[in-house]
Amino acid sequence: MSINACRAALMGASMLTLTACVSVTVTRGTETVPVAVQAATVSVTPARESTAFTLGTDQPRTPEQLAMVFDKADLSIRVMPETKTIDAVAVLDFTATAPLTAVVVELDTLLTVSSVQVDGREIPAGEGGWHNPEGRMTIPLAAPLAAGGSVSVRIAYAGAPRVAPRAPWDGGFVWATTVDGSPWIATAVQPEGCDIFWPCIDHPLAEPKRVDMHITVPSNLAAPSNGRFMGTVDHGDGWTTWNWSAANPNTYAIALNIGPYDEVRSDYRSRFGNVIPMSYWHLRSDDPAKVAALFAQFAPMMDFYEATVGPYPFGDEKMGVVETPHLGMEHQTINAYGNAYRLDGKGYDWLLHHELAHEWFGNQMTNRNADDMWLHEGLGSYMQPLYLRWLHGERYMQAELQEQRRDLINRFPVVTGTDRAEDDVYKSEVGPGLDLYNKGSLVAHSLRMLIGDEAFFRSITRLIYGMADPRPGSFSPRYGTTDEFLALASEESGQDLTWFFRGYLYQAALPDLRQTREEGQLSLEWVTGDGAAFPMPVEVEIDGRRQTVAMGGGRGGIAVPAGAHVLIDPDNKVLRRDIFIEEWKAAGGR
């Protein structure tokens, strides 16, 4: 998502009407910043109403969906800028894992279905045939399919897909134009899911093994997309088809990007020995110097992530970025970038870096349920202060961590231990919202400070790849949970960290370190949201000399001479309640 194109981190951004060469503002966390916008016009037509079911994602799967594996989707989509419509055919291949009497997929009812075929046989609509009342399409089979059997479904559909009211936070299609009036089109559907424009199983555990895309657009436009480029076909009638093939993509990450693009390309020589193509598709009207400066950041960022986490997961396809009329989104191998080359004094493009993080934290390792979304957003966000240290040193890392600390909300726990939908976690009125990013990052930092670099980074690598020593070609995308990360960190550190995860992630309130000082003794006590023991050791500096106080059972103490200066946690290793920040916020601090 997000920061996830900052999907939640920019939750406060307003709907925009953009004109040529304007400057607008967006909100990053709680910071409002100016952004130079390339677009001449961006459509902000209110979204046509999809059903409530379609506008949700991560819905419970039906018994039929649980009884089949999604082998392949072959999508042929003609995008018609003048009418803001699409005309598409999807061929979906499944293998049954249990007896199957129907195929069930999701597709927005705003799109008109003209034909449904099963293994070449036309299926009528209505009673006894296919039906799609709320956007969940049921297609009966002529005869039950035994486990191990395969079936191919062809769906032809067309129409005007949902227009994004506020991409990427409220998603759909973005129909924009560039400064010279050319069409500039993008999709961003993480909050709503893949069914906004193609028939799929709209659930993170139902990724197809492969998606082939054939995107037909006016011949003066380009259509970069996910995966490996398979060439173009110029039909000689003013239309050209761009062909792509992606392995194991996240369903919401399948993206259409159409515009007057030029491509900058080079090869990245990985520290793991493979060579990875890198591509950036930018508007032809962009300042060449800005394009070159952004593209120059690709290789250093790749090297950081490979050194910190492990091999780039999709090296046999590409590391791709495309400029979009919305802020951004982590579309696997074709990340959306709409930060307008803005500099912020930190020496790198934060949006480019954050979306790249999701190739590891989101696309290679996908959370099993939205309740574990902090594994995407929090661990991905922690990569930014780590990258600042990589680039500029400790001071810059600490400054970034302090920005995250000031933005904490602490209204809802980051994790509940129950299945939740995306809206339940991303919307701050009902869930953690920005704390997925900021609190998740700060929890990761405290964990690293507690167990040390070796145990921490080995835990991260094993979470991402399912193995301790990944090499290109030795791993596949996988699913992860908070409980799995807890088990890995406990194993790597040699200590049971249940108290740590429970105290930080499952409580809204931060652990509160209470202290009393009397008669030459400093007494410390941790108080957590649920009152459970929190044996987090605390470093104490007394007149410049440091000692670590063991906090068995959540309590500890140390002798302190009268008049000595005491500093608790001098290196800010431990995330905890800070009353002075609460007072500042209560007084109107941002």
Side-chain angles (χ1 to χ4, degrees):
M1 352 208 100
S2 162
I3 290 179
N4 196 17
C6 262
R7 175 182 177 269
L10 300 168
M11 194 69 72
S14 61
M15 189 184 303
L16 305 179
T17 299
L18 308 181
T19 56
C21 303
V22 301
S23 176
V24 300
T25 62
V26 299
T27 302
R28 180 187 177 195
T30 56
E31 177 187 9
T32 301
V33 296
V35 176
V37 179
Q38 299 274 351
T41 305
V42 175
S43 170
V44 289
T45 304
R48 297 168 62 234
E49 287 302 322
S50 303
T51 67
F53 174 81
T54 295
L55 292 179
T57 189
D58 201 9
Q59 311 274 21
R61 288 176 289 170
T62 69
E64 295 87 355
Q65 291 174 332
L66 291 169
M68 59 189 190
V69 173
F70 199 166
D71 297 314
K72 181 183 175 183
D74 188 283
L75 309 177
S76 299
I77 303 176
R78 180 185 291 261
V79 180
M80 293 164 281
E82 289 192 3
T83 57
K84 298 181 181 178
T85 58
I86 62 173
D87 191 355
V89 173
V91 179
L92 314 175
D93 297 335
F94 302 96
T95 297
T97 58
L100 196 64
T101 60
V103 169
V104 178
V105 295
E106 279 82 60
L107 182 64
D108 196 342
T109 56
L110 294 182
L111 299 166
T112 300
V113 176
S114 60
S115 173
V116 176
Q117 297 179 0
V118 175
D119 292 333
R121 180 177 64 90
E122 190 73 25
I123 306 297
E127 187 174 352
W130 68 267
H131 53 281
N132 189 35
E134 295 295 322
R136 175 164 269 173
M137 178 183 287
T138 299
I139 305 167
L141 303 180
L145 188 66
S150 60
V151 62
S152 183
V153 175
R154 180 184 184 275
I155 302 172
Y157 60 99
R162 184 179 197 260
V163 175
R166 192 175 54 129
W169 312 277
D170 196 351
F173 268 67
V174 179
W175 304 92
T177 55
T178 62
V179 291
D180 64 359
S182 298
W184 190 16
I185 303 161
T187 58
V189 297
Q190 183 188 6
E192 300 77 20
C194 46
D195 51 337
I196 289 293
F197 72 97
W198 64 280
C200 59
I201 301 175
D202 186 15
H203 192 280
L205 299 183
E207 295 179 358
K209 295 180 181 177
R210 178 166 295 280
V211 175
D212 291 341
M213 288 160 285
H214 318 284
I215 307 165
T216 302
V217 299
S219 295
N220 63 329
L221 303 176
S225 193
N226 310 83
R228 188 191 302 271
F229 181 49
M230 308 302 288
T232 60
V233 177
D234 189 332
H235 302 288
D237 57 359
W239 294 86
T240 294
T241 298
W242 291 66
N243 300 291
W244 300 88
S245 184
N248 301 300
N250 267 341
T251 50
Y252 76 79
I254 295 298
L256 303 180
N257 305 281
I258 298 156
Y261 291 121
D262 282 338
E263 179 187 6
V264 180
R265 175 179 174 142
S266 70
D267 287 335
Y268 167 71
R269 298 192 175 275
S270 165
R271 60 175 55 220
F272 291 92
N274 56 326
V275 177
I276 302 168
M278 299 187 302
S279 293
Y280 174 44
W281 283 269
H282 62 90
L283 295 181
R284 295 169 190 152
S285 57
D286 285 356
D287 181 343
K290 292 182 178 180
V291 171
L294 186 74
F295 191 63
Q297 296 186 47
F298 282 30
M301 288 185 185
M302 288 281 282
D303 188 49
F304 162 78
Y305 279 112
E306 289 206 321
T308 304
V309 184
Y312 177 70
F314 310 105
D316 58 345
E317 295 182 351
K318 68 178 182 300
M319 182 277 204
V321 178
V322 60
E323 189 175 5
T324 55
H326 63 86
L327 185 64
M329 182 64 72
E330 67 276 13
H331 296 145
Q332 188 169 314
T333 71
I334 189 67
N335 284 333
Y337 173 81
N339 201 31
Y341 308 103
R342 179 181 175 270
L343 302 178
D344 60 7
K346 295 181 180 179
Y348 79 111
D349 192 293
W350 68 270
L351 181 68
L352 179 69
H353 189 272
H354 183 82
E355 302 309 347
L356 182 57
H358 285 305
E359 297 286 31
W360 287 265
F361 303 96
N363 295 333
Q364 165 59 27
M365 184 280 300
T366 302
N367 59 322
R368 287 188 178 272
N369 179 264
D371 195 45
D372 300 303
M373 190 62 74
W374 81 281
L375 297 175
H376 293 198
E377 305 295 9
L379 297 181
S381 294
Y382 186 45
M383 296 299 110
Q384 292 182 254
L386 289 177
Y387 190 55
L388 280 166
R389 189 183 190 283
W390 176 278
L391 290 177
H392 309 305
E394 187 76 15
R395 180 173 64 181
Y396 288 85
M397 181 184 77
Q398 292 296 341
E400 186 78 2
L401 290 169
Q402 180 58 17
E403 283 190 25
Q404 295 175 344
R405 175 63 185 87
R406 287 172 54 167
D407 287 340
L408 291 191
I409 302 169
N410 301 316
R411 188 178 301 124
F412 295 97
V414 173
V415 181
T416 65
T418 61
D419 283 355
R420 291 192 289 178
E422 281 203 12
D423 281 350
D424 296 333
V425 298
Y426 274 112
K427 292 185 176 180
S428 58
E429 62 269 25
V430 295
L434 291 176
D435 281 355
L436 289 173
Y437 302 82
N438 297 321
K439 195 169 186 177
S441 172
L442 293 162
V443 168
H445 183 68
S446 289
L447 178 62
R448 177 179 154 234
M449 295 297 98
L450 175 66
I451 67 176
D453 282 4
E454 183 176 354
F456 176 79
F457 288 114
R458 282 177 61 86
S459 301
I460 292 290
T461 297
R462 291 177 63 189
L463 176 71
I464 299 302
Y465 301 98
M467 59 183 67
D469 189 26
R471 290 293 182 267
S474 69
F475 56 86
S476 299
R478 64 182 308 273
Y479 298 98
T481 67
T482 301
D483 284 344
E484 181 191 15
F485 188 38
L486 164 60
L488 290 170
S490 295
E491 180 182 335
E492 290 293 342
S493 66
Q495 53 183 300
D496 184 355
L497 295 169
T498 302
W499 62 270
F500 179 96
F501 279 66
R502 183 181 62 239
Y504 277 128
L505 296 172
Y506 292 84
Q507 317 298 320
L510 290 175
D512 185 8
L513 183 61
R514 298 180 182 177
Q515 50 187 292
T516 57
R517 181 176 173 181
E518 56 187 12
E519 297 180 356
Q521 181 76 12
L522 174 66
S523 298
L524 302 172
E525 178 185 7
W526 283 111
V527 177
T528 60
D530 63 355
F534 191 74
M536 173 70 82
V538 180
E539 195 171 69
V540 178
E541 183 179 286
I542 303 171
D543 282 341
R545 300 180 63 182
R546 298 187 182 188
Q547 300 181 56
T548 298
V549 179
M551 298 288 289
R555 292 180 174 86
I558 188 172
V560 177
H565 174 69
V566 174
L567 179 61
I568 305 293
D569 189 24
D571 290 332
N572 298 290
K573 295 179 178 179
V574 181
L575 176 62
R576 59 190 172 103
R577 182 188 181 198
D578 288 314
I579 294 177
F580 65 89
I581 292 181
E582 295 176 5
E583 292 173 342
W584 167 71
K585 287 190 173 184
R590 68 171 179 82

